Amino acid sequence: MMETVREIAAWTPEYLIANEPACLERLSADEALWSTIPLLNCTELAHLPDGCLVRFRGMLQDMQDPECYLERYAVRSKSDGTVVRQQNGKYRDLLVFNAASETVDTGCTGDGSTFGERRSLFVVTVPGQNPWAAGYEKEQEAAGVRPTGWKHGEQMPSATAKRSHEDDTEMEVDGTTTTTTVPGDCNGNKKRTASDGGDGTAPAASSNGTAVLSADYLLNSPIANRPGKACLVKLYSNYDDWALNTVLEVAGFLSVDPALDGSGDSTGLDEFVDDVSEHQATHPPPSLIPRLHAISVRKLPHTNPLLLRGLPSSDACAETTYKDLHNLLTQCLFGDGVAADYLLCHLVSSVYIRDEVECRGQFCLNLSNIPAEVLPGYTRSLYELLELLLPASHYLPMTLDNMNTLQFAPQKDYKTNKLTSGILQLAPHTHLVLDETRLEAGKLESAGVEAVKHVAHLIKAQRLKYDFQFYQLDFNTDVPVLVLSEGKSMLPSNCYLPIVPDLDAIKLIDETIKAGRHYVAPKLDGMRRFLTGARVRPFDMKTLDPTVVQDDFVRMRTENSAVTMDDLHALFVLARLLGLSRGRTALHRDDWERAK
C-alpha cells in the first residue's frame, strides 16, 4: 500500500493522460486508495506543492462560463524557430517552457497547437457543516495512509518531481505572458459581457479607480458568519452532469501558482472598465481560492463523514437507537412524546419524488407553544442539541434586522459575473431551524417581505428562486425546515404541532438538556449514523396492501368530504417517515395505522 501511495503522489498530468483509463479505474475501484489522496478541506495550502494530487469536498455553488485553453502546443527554440517538443496543456493553468530560450505557438493555426474547452465550477465547503463533522474529517485525514516519514501538517512529496522531458530541470513558468486561460475566441479576443445592472454592493473602488473585491465576496459563503474554504474546479468533460447545490468530492491536480492571481490586474483592461471586476472575480488569488484540475468527480448522497464509505446493510441496534433518540427528544421537549415523534420524522425527512409540478417527502415542522418569555434561551439550547446529531444545520433567529437585511436567495452580479450566494442556498439535507420567537414588533421592509416569500416557497415546493435581475429561475432544493414559534407561524408548514409541556419540566429544562447531552455523549456516533442512514436508505412503499389504503381513504372521504388526494399523499409521507424513524426499510401496517 505504501508503495502505491508513493506512486499516486508522483502522478503528473502527462502520466495521467498516457495512462488515463487504468488510473481512473484504480481510483474508482479502490476506496482506500482514494482516501489516501490529501483532503484540501483539512490541509493548509502551505503544506501542498503546486501540481500535487488532492481532493476537495464541498457544494457546487456557481458555474462559470466555458473557457478555451491550449490543450496541446508546440514549444520552439528562440534561436532557430525549430519545434523542440509538443507539450500537453491539459490539467494545467500555465504553459510549460523555458522563457529564456524557448517560445510557444499560441495561435489557432500554430504548428501542432490544438485548443480545448473546460468549465470552472465554484465549489465551497458544505455550508453549515457542524463542528463535529468537520472535526471527524480532520481526524480521518490525520489518520490516513501517507508515504513513510510524512506526518499530518508536513509537505507531501511534490508531484512535479516526476517529469516527462530530460530538460525539464531548466524549465520555468512565465506567469505574465504564458497563461493558457483564454476567456475568448481562438484569436485571443477578450470576451465582453453586459454589465449594466450589477448590484454594486461587493466591488469597491481603489484610489486609482480599479475595482477591488473583498475576500468575503470572493469566497462567497452562503452563511456569511460561518465561512469556509472555496475551490475553483476545472472540469474537462461531462459538464451537464452537475447541478447547482450538488455535494461533490473532487480529485485533481492542485494549481496555486501566484501568477494566477488577477486581483490586481488592470493593465490592458482599462478600455473595458466593466470587465475589470469580472476578471478579478474569475481570477482570484490562488492562496485564497486554489484551482483544482479535476480527474475524477463523485456525487455524495449525504454530508455525514461517518458514512462516506457507504451505508451498513442493516442496523442491529436500530430499535435501541430509536428509543434513545425518542427519549432524549421527549425530555428536551418538556416531556411531550408526540412532539418527539414528529421531530424524529422531521429529522429523517427528505424529498424522494419530484416532478415538474410538485415534490413529495419534505416535512416542514412548526413546533409552537414555545415558552420563550419564561425561557429566552431555550430555542438556542434545543438547536445546539440538534447540532450534535446532524452533520449540517443552521440556526436563524427571525429578527426584524435579519429579515430586512440578510440576502436569502442567490443573486446574479453581472458586474463580476458571479452568483452571489444567499443563506437559503444550502446543500441537500442541511437542516434550517427558524426561530420565530425572536421576531419582535416592527415593520417588515420590502426586502423582509421578499425574504418571507423565499422561505415560504422553499417550504412548500422545495425550490428556491434565484434572482437574475431581469428574471427569476427556480432551482431544486432539499432543505428540511423546522420553525419554532410561540403561536402558529406566519410561514406554511407540512405539520403544525403545539407542544403540550409538563409544567415541572419547564422549570427543569436547562438541567434536563444538560443531563441529556451528557447521557447521549457516548452514543452520539450511533445516533448520527442512524439518522443519516434513515434519510438516504431506500425504502419500499409497496409492501402495504393497497386495498387497506383504498378502504381507509373511502372511509375518510365518507366521514369528511373535504379530504383530498393531497391528504392521502401527506398520510403516505408521514407513514414513510414513521417507518424510517424506526430504522425500517419497508412500510409496515402499524406505520400506516400510527400515521392515521
Side-chain angles (χ1 to χ4, degrees):
M1 169 63 82
M2 198 60 66
E3 290 302 318
T4 302
V5 174
R6 283 182 178 277
E7 181 186 349
I8 289 179
W11 282 6
T12 64
E14 284 74 22
Y15 178 81
L16 181 75
I17 291 171
N19 305 275
E20 192 162 359
C23 289
L24 297 184
E25 174 63 26
R26 290 179 63 189
L27 284 178
S28 175
D30 192 340
E31 186 65 33
L33 192 62
W34 174 276
S35 64
T36 62
I37 301 173
L39 186 63
L40 191 56
N41 305 61
C42 309
T43 310
E44 293 298 327
L45 275 178
H47 302 143
L48 295 169
D50 183 68
C52 72
L53 199 61
V54 298
R55 289 177 295 142
F56 187 73
R57 189 179 298 151
M59 183 193 79
L60 176 53
Q61 191 272 325
D62 192 10
M63 297 181 182
Q64 294 185 358
D65 295 333
E67 67 180 44
C68 187
Y69 76 101
L70 273 171
E71 186 172 6
R72 193 164 182 80
Y73 52 92
V75 178
R76 295 179 178 273
S77 169
K78 279 187 176 181
S79 59
D80 57 12
T82 59
V83 176
V84 178
R85 67 181 179 280
Q86 294 291 327
Q87 178 66 48
N88 163 63
K90 192 176 182 181
Y91 303 125
R92 284 196 172 97
D93 284 297
L94 303 175
L95 301 182
V96 179
F97 70 105
N98 188 328
S101 60
E102 297 175 337
T103 185
V104 170
D105 284 335
T106 58
C108 284
T109 59
D111 185 13
S113 297
T114 59
F115 282 80
E117 185 178 272
R118 60 191 177 195
R119 189 165 189 178
S120 294
L121 310 181
F122 192 79
V123 183
V124 298
T125 49
V126 175
Q129 184 180 43
N130 287 324
W132 71 264
Y136 186 84
E137 283 184 347
K138 291 180 180 178
E139 289 177 10
Q140 290 296 98
E141 180 66 9
V145 179
R146 298 288 181 264
T148 303
W150 187 88
K151 298 179 180 178
H152 187 63
E154 296 181 350
Q155 181 167 314
M156 283 286 289
S158 174
T160 57
K162 185 176 181 179
R163 296 292 184 183
S164 58
H165 306 290
E166 294 179 358
D167 57 349
D168 273 359
T169 54
E170 300 177 357
M171 290 184 185
E172 57 190 58
V173 175
D174 185 344
T176 58
T177 60
T178 61
T179 175
T180 63
T181 301
V182 187
D185 61 20
C186 293
N187 296 317
N189 296 324
K190 182 168 177 59
K191 180 188 64 179
R192 302 186 64 180
T193 48
S195 59
D196 45 6
D199 63 10
T201 56
S206 64
S207 57
N208 62 6
T210 303
V212 177
L213 303 178
S214 70
D216 287 342
Y217 182 80
L218 291 172
L219 285 171
N220 205 14
S221 176
I223 305 174
N225 61 349
R226 299 175 65 181
K229 293 184 177 182
C231 193
L232 205 55
V233 175
K234 307 275 186 172
L235 202 61
Y236 290 84
S237 62
N238 303 323
Y239 312 126
D240 298 330
D241 288 355
W242 310 107
L244 289 181
N245 309 329
T246 304
V247 179
L248 310 171
E249 185 167 331
V250 186
F253 293 105
L254 182 67
S255 180
V256 288
D257 194 295
L260 300 173
D261 184 2
S263 60
D265 291 354
S266 59
T267 305
L269 298 174
D270 292 339
E271 56 183 309
F272 304 128
V273 177
D274 289 342
D275 286 331
V276 176
S277 294
E278 179 181 347
H279 176 79
Q280 294 179 355
T282 54
H283 297 77
S287 57
L288 179 69
I289 302 175
R291 281 59 159 174
L292 187 61
H293 294 266
I295 64 172
S296 181
V297 186
R298 297 179 174 183
K299 179 180 178 180
L300 299 182
H302 57 80
T303 58
N304 189 337
L306 296 171
L307 293 173
L308 284 179
R309 295 195 177 186
L311 296 173
S313 56
S314 62
D315 188 353
C317 302
E319 188 63 26
T320 301
T321 305
Y322 161 75
K323 290 179 179 178
D324 287 337
L325 276 167
H326 189 271
N327 181 58
L328 173 67
L329 297 178
T330 299
Q331 297 305 314
C332 295
L333 292 170
F334 309 106
D336 190 338
V338 175
D341 282 329
Y342 279 101
L343 184 53
L344 257 179
C345 288
H346 165 77
L347 293 178
V348 300
S349 64
S350 65
V351 175
Y352 66 95
I353 294 177
R354 189 190 295 274
D355 57 32
E356 294 298 324
V357 180
E358 60 184 359
C359 62
R360 301 289 181 193
Q362 73 270 29
F363 193 70
C364 172
L365 177 62
N366 174 203
L367 290 178
S368 71
N369 205 21
I370 303 289
E373 292 187 6
V374 180
L375 301 169
Y378 170 73
T379 51
R380 182 73 198 189
S381 297
L382 179 61
Y383 169 75
E384 290 173 353
L385 181 70
L386 298 178
E387 192 177 38
L388 291 175
L389 301 172
L390 303 168
S393 61
H394 184 56
Y395 169 78
L396 179 65
M398 292 179 63
T399 61
L400 279 176
D401 184 61
N402 282 342
M403 301 303 292
N404 287 331
T405 61
L406 292 180
Q407 181 173 314
F408 278 71
Q411 297 177 357
K412 184 71 173 182
D413 183 347
Y414 286 98
K415 189 163 188 176
T416 59
N417 204 26
K418 278 180 71 73
L419 184 67
T420 60
S421 190
I423 59 175
L424 296 182
Q425 189 183 13
L426 300 172
H429 309 154
T430 301
H431 286 253
L432 180 63
V433 179
L434 302 177
D435 187 357
E436 200 174 297
T437 67
R438 300 287 301 276
L439 188 61
E440 65 274 19
K443 183 180 180 181
L444 206 58
E445 306 291 347
S446 58
V449 174
E450 283 300 310
V452 172
K453 290 180 180 178
H454 282 304
V455 176
H457 184 57
L458 172 71
I459 290 172
K460 290 190 292 186
Q462 279 301 313
R463 289 186 172 95
L464 183 60
K465 291 185 181 296
Y466 288 31
D467 184 3
F468 288 86
Q469 186 172 338
F470 309 107
Y471 59 94
Q472 291 185 329
L473 278 181
D474 261 338
F475 285 83
N476 293 337
T477 63
D478 191 0
V479 177
V481 180
L482 173 64
V483 184
L484 304 176
S485 59
E486 294 179 87
K488 186 173 183 179
S489 173
M490 63 178 174
L491 296 168
S493 63
N494 300 107
C495 178
Y496 165 60
L497 184 72
I499 294 176
V500 181
D502 181 284
L503 296 181
D504 292 332
I506 294 178
K507 301 175 184 177
L508 301 173
I509 193 63
D510 291 337
E511 291 77 7
T512 300
I513 292 178
K514 289 179 183 177
R517 291 168 65 106
H518 177 75
Y519 172 73
V520 301
K523 306 178 181 182
L524 277 174
D525 281 355
M527 292 179 171
R528 293 160 177 167
R529 290 188 181 96
F530 176 86
L531 290 174
T532 300
R535 189 182 306 114
V536 301
R537 187 180 287 116
F539 189 81
D540 189 356
M541 298 280 287
K542 298 179 181 179
T543 53
L544 184 63
D545 185 352
T547 59
V548 173
V549 178
Q550 180 179 327
D551 292 343
D552 286 342
F553 183 60
V554 170
R555 179 182 53 78
M556 292 163 60
R557 288 275 296 168
T558 302
E559 295 174 355
N560 184 356
S561 60
V563 172
T564 65
M565 285 299 295
D566 285 338
D567 297 310
L568 182 63
H569 286 309
L571 201 57
F572 263 117
V573 169
L574 182 57
R576 176 179 179 272
L577 295 176
L578 287 169
L580 288 171
S581 67
R582 301 295 293 263
R584 294 170 178 163
T585 58
L587 186 60
H588 291 197
R589 176 67 181 269
D590 63 316
D591 297 326
W592 176 254
E593 296 300 330
R594 286 182 66 207
K596 289 194 301 178

